[in-house]
């Protein structure tokens, strides 16, 4: 094995968290193309020997995680922290993810309920964070997602989010509008 | 009856209850029979009440909204005109809200799956790696020389017998003016140590007392971002504004110079 | 690769602490000899490909750790490049640069303050280093600048350092300089 692949493996193992491209370049003291090559080789190697580990591109960096195929075994360790989110929390988090930056009031308008507690729970879990303040009356806080969020959902970056279902309202044409005005008469 | 209680507890908010009613009755979202929907919605709230389940204000607000839409629909519409086109269907806002909520409800299911998949890939806690500070990439030789000159100057002041130091008089007022004018020249902020560029002890003392006086007058403030960090002196913004109106720093500087 | 080796790898990776022999038997649902065989195979495999990881038997259990051979790389994860030097550090560094070899006590005498922390920071940054010991009571350590120092300031060698500030720029006369030197001894 390429000595640098070993180094890459050791560094990713030690970090635990995603290591950025830039940090890897500096640590391994190589250039971009060489790093790409190393990452490719390493990923290939893990696949070939059906390793217990896998290389993931997450939250703007690279990280080692266990291979999902061995989840049954890993599960028996009982090491999992309960990351389960309630349906309400998941809905709220989805709205933040797709609509960021967004205020609490705007989320409440969409969900039709107060979300005080859910928001503080999401903040506590470091899935969302304050981004700043909106330039309107009361200067409400704007929220967005965090790197922890990307990690929990296995996302490379926010561009990696799933497609949001199309807003059907846009498909309401002028004719439809007239049509249902007539119907309601 | 038990069935109701199970149903009732599922709804997290009025939007979800509305969506449930729309799905259950296979209602065309673009043509909501608002009267019957309102009726069913209120029926549900009544069941909540009969089971002593707390009805949060959100459910009541939605009920009020539905009733309001229903009543607006009953009002005779003015004859069709161009203006009429701009007047939205009373249900329009509700439709938009339901559709918007539906989008996020759907996507949150996808997100849930994604989280479950990722949850099967376990990561490790970071190893404890000691932090090691590296020298800045580029350092200024000029600053190094200046730092040394500074050391010697201070050293000389502290250690040399006073007789070797030329007698010069400095007043605190003079130093206060000089400091303010220098601060304005530098955009209102400067390094604390840069203030003490004088070479004689009496000048340093006068400068120091001037700094204290200006702090007391709240004209300037001295702060340090972090431990061992640079100490900075800054002119108070409010003070600058009140003393010189909305003038730009450059203008302030010019005026200062003219006064001096 | 034996599927159970992959499982072993995943389990050891995911566990935050050493996994006991007993726990491994239970998780992998195998018997003792089979586990020994797996552990042997896995260790062998790690060695053969010069992996970044190594298998350690520790505190009555097994755990994964980084391979010591790659420690230099791993260590760089903890590196933080500072943006600038504080005034106090720059002053101390200038004294070392212009007066080397010099002891800590001599620098403290010149600056009139304790410099314990600043010196250890400068040593950590490799801007200064120990040159040896002074032949006086207590044999104090003598300090000087390093190659990193030369690089950071863009100097070819120490001869490239500018002349000591001319005495008159500091309104120091020749006599004063002599006096000053005497006092600092």
């Amino acid at each position: 094995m390429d000595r640098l692949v070993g180094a890459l493996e050791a560094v990713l193992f030690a970090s635990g968290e995603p290591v950025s491209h830039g940090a890897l370049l500096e640590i391994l003291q190589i250039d971009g193309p060489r790093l790409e090559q190393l990452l490719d080789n390493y990923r290939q190697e893990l696949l070939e020997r059906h390793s217990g580990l896998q290389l993931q591109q997450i939250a703007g960096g690279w990280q080692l995680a266990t291979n999902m195929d061995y989840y049954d075994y890993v599960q028996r360790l009982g090491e999992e922290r309960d990351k389960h989110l309630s349906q309400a929390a998941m809905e709220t988090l989805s709205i933040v993810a797709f609509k960021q930056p967004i205020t609490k009031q705007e989320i409440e308008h969409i969900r039709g309920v107060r979300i005080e507690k859910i928001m503080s729970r999401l903040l506590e879990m470091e899935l969302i964070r304050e981004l700043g303040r909106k330039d309107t009356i009361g200067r409400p806080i704007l929220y967005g997602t965090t790197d922890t969020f990307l990690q929990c959902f296995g996302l490379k970056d926010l561009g990696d989010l799933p497609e949001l279902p199309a807003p059907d309202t846009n498909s309401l044409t002028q004719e439809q509008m007239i049509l249902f005005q007539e119907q309601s008469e | 009856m038990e069935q109701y209680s199970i149903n009732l507890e599922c709804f997290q908010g009025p939007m979800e209850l509305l969506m449930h009613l729309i799905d259950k009755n296979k209602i065309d979202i673009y043509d909501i029979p608002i009267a019957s929907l309102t009726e069913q919605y209120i029926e549900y709230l009544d069941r909540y009440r009969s089971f002593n389940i707390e009805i949060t204000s959100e459910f009541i607000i939605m009920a009020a909204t539905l009733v309001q839409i229903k009543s607006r629909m009953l009002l005779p519409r003015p004859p069709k005109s161009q203006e009429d086109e701009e007047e939205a269907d009373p249900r329009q806002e509700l439709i938009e809200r339901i559709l918007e909520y539906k989008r996020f409800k759907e996507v949150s299911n996808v997100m849930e799956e994604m989280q479950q998949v990722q949850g099967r890939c376990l990561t490790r806690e970071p190893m404890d790696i000691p932090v090691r500070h590296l020298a800045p990439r580029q350092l200024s030789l000029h600053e190094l020389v200046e730092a040394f000159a500074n050391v010697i100057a201070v050293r000389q002041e502290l250690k040399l017998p006073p007789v070797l130091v030329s007698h010069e008089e400095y007043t605190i007022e003079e130093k206060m003016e000089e400091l303010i004018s220098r601060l304005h020249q530098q955009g209102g902020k400067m390094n604390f140590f840069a203030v003490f560029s004088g070479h004689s002890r009496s000048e340093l003392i006068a400068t120091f007392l001037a700094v204290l006086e200006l702090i007391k007058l709240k004209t300037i403030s001295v702060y340090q971002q972090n431990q061992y960090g640079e100490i900075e002196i800054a002119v108070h913004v409010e003070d600058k504004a009140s003393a010189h109106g909305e003038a730009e720093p450059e203008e302030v500087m010019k005026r200062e110079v003219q006064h001096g």
Side-chain angles (χ1 to χ4, degrees), chain A, chain B:
Chain A
M1 178 153 101
D2 191 335
R3 182 172 154 80
L4 280 177
V5 173
L8 174 70
E9 188 172 42
V11 167
L12 292 178
F13 178 87
S15 163
E17 287 164 352
V19 188
S20 74
H21 204 83
L24 283 176
L25 293 181
E26 193 142 327
I27 289 169
L28 301 172
Q29 306 198 313
I30 51 177
D31 59 15
R34 179 88 173 95
L35 178 59
E36 291 297 336
Q37 188 201 346
L38 282 179
L39 288 164
D40 270 359
N41 290 354
Y42 183 46
R43 188 186 3 233
Q44 196 58 37
E45 194 215 299
L46 290 173
L47 281 175
E48 269 166 21
R49 64 182 164 89
H50 215 70
S51 165
L53 312 180
Q54 64 170 320
L55 188 58
Q56 288 190 320
Q57 191 173 12
I58 259 170
W62 297 88
Q63 92 173 352
L64 277 179
T66 57
N67 184 336
M68 223 186 303
D69 295 350
Y70 299 110
Y71 181 64
D72 287 347
Y73 295 104
V74 171
Q75 205 181 11
R76 296 193 194 127
L77 272 172
E79 287 272 325
E80 283 166 285
R81 278 167 296 161
D82 189 20
K83 283 185 195 153
H84 182 75
L85 290 178
S86 69
Q87 187 198 329
M90 191 62 88
E91 274 175 35
T92 307
L93 183 58
S94 301
I95 295 169
V96 176
F98 285 92
K99 289 252 177 188
Q100 59 188 306
I102 189 170
T103 67
K104 193 163 66 65
Q105 290 78 0
E106 288 162 346
I107 304 167
E108 283 177 347
H109 184 75
I110 295 175
R111 293 207 47 232
V113 288
R114 306 271 282 156
I115 52 165
E116 212 74 53
K117 278 187 187 165
I118 291 173
M119 287 298 274
S120 52
R121 174 104 181 93
L122 291 175
L123 281 165
E124 190 188 301
M125 291 174 92
E126 288 180 6
L127 290 170
I128 63 170
R129 67 193 170 103
E130 296 183 6
L131 293 180
R133 287 184 179 267
K134 190 164 179 171
D135 255 341
T136 54
I137 299 157
R139 298 185 35 81
I141 297 165
L142 287 163
Y143 294 93
T145 53
T146 61
D147 278 356
T148 307
F149 165 79
L150 295 176
Q151 285 173 45
C152 282
F153 289 85
L155 299 168
K156 200 166 63 190
D157 49 47
L158 285 176
D160 221 14
L161 278 173
E163 192 97 359
L164 185 64
D168 289 0
T169 26
N170 289 352
S171 60
L172 281 184
T173 61
Q174 197 60 31
E175 287 132 83
Q176 282 176 315
M177 288 293 284
I178 291 163
L179 198 72
F180 76 53
Q181 269 168 13
E182 278 164 4
Q183 283 171 335
S184 50
E185 269 166 56
Chain B
M1 288 296 269
E2 265 179 24
Q3 197 193 334
Y4 288 143
S5 69
I6 292 160
N7 276 343
L8 288 176
E9 291 187 47
C10 300
F11 304 117
Q12 302 193 1
M15 297 303 293
E16 206 177 0
L17 174 52
L18 273 183
M19 269 188 55
H20 168 76
L21 292 175
I22 286 169
D23 283 350
K24 197 178 95 182
N25 299 309
K26 298 198 170 65
I27 290 173
D28 175 4
I29 185 102
Y30 298 107
D31 184 22
I32 296 172
I34 201 79
S36 93
L37 184 69
T38 306
E39 200 177 296
Q40 289 191 44
Y41 183 91
I42 290 170
E43 225 171 83
Y44 259 89
L45 296 199
D46 284 341
R47 282 182 212 155
Y48 269 63
R49 221 172 270 127
S50 68
F51 279 95
N52 284 326
I53 294 168
E54 193 202 352
I55 300 164
T56 54
S57 58
E58 296 116 8
F59 283 92
I60 311 283
I61 291 168
M62 181 56 77
T65 309
L66 289 170
V67 170
Q68 194 205 13
I69 294 170
K70 192 175 117 184
S71 62
R72 274 173 66 201
M73 302 278 295
L74 291 172
L75 287 177
R77 297 185 144 260
K80 273 204 188 298
S81 69
Q82 280 175 326
E83 286 163 51
D84 197 32
E85 273 183 0
E86 284 168 27
E87 193 192 320
D89 185 292
R91 298 172 298 182
Q92 182 61 25
E93 204 207 320
L94 183 68
I95 293 169
E96 277 169 15
R97 281 189 66 186
I98 293 172
L99 288 173
E100 180 81 342
Y101 178 67
K102 200 164 161 250
R103 289 169 84 196
F104 287 105
K105 207 167 165 45
E106 278 168 25
V107 89
S108 75
N109 290 335
V110 179
M111 300 275 289
E112 170 114 47
E113 269 170 48
M114 289 173 68
Q115 197 201 10
Q116 272 176 18
V117 170
Q118 184 61 25
R120 288 167 172 266
C121 310
L122 275 79
T123 54
R124 306 180 64 249
E125 291 293 309
M127 255 170 62
D128 226 359
I129 300 161
V131 174
R132 179 164 170 262
H133 292 271
L134 297 185
R137 277 191 203 287
Q138 280 184 332
L139 287 166
S140 147
L141 198 56
H142 176 71
E143 276 175 34
L144 184 77
V145 174
E146 216 165 58
F148 192 69
N150 193 36
V151 169
I152 291 180
V154 171
R155 167 84 196 159
Q156 178 205 6
E157 259 321 293
L158 292 172
K159 290 295 177 187
L160 292 182
V163 279
L164 291 177
V165 180
S166 57
H167 286 280
E168 275 179 90
E169 294 298 327
Y170 299 94
T171 69
I172 299 169
E173 287 74 19
E174 234 174 65
K175 282 286 163 193
M176 281 165 67
E177 272 180 37
E178 186 195 315
L179 184 56
I180 288 292
S181 123
R182 278 177 70 191
L183 272 165
H184 284 309
Q185 278 171 32
Q186 312 219 358
K189 232 166 63 172
M190 63 192 285
N191 187 295
F192 183 79
F193 293 101
V195 171
F196 298 95
S197 52
H199 296 302
S200 77
R201 177 152 42 183
S202 57
E203 186 177 2
L204 288 175
I205 292 169
T207 306
F208 188 65
L209 291 175
V211 169
L212 292 182
E213 189 63 23
L214 286 169
I215 293 172
K216 198 174 108 195
L217 293 172
K218 296 197 164 54
T219 310
I220 61 167
S221 55
V222 176
Y223 58 90
Q224 191 177 20
Q225 294 283 10
N226 42 39
Q227 224 185 347
Y228 309 115
E230 300 287 345
I231 302 171
E232 288 208 309
I233 293 188
V235 178
H236 271 284
V237 181
E238 297 92 327
D239 182 80
K240 219 159 77 178
S242 63
H244 303 289
E246 296 295 317
E248 293 294 314
E250 285 86 349
E251 288 176 72
V252 174
M253 190 192 81
K254 275 182 220 146
R255 269 186 245 164
E256 289 285 334
V257 172
Q258 278 161 10
H259 284 301

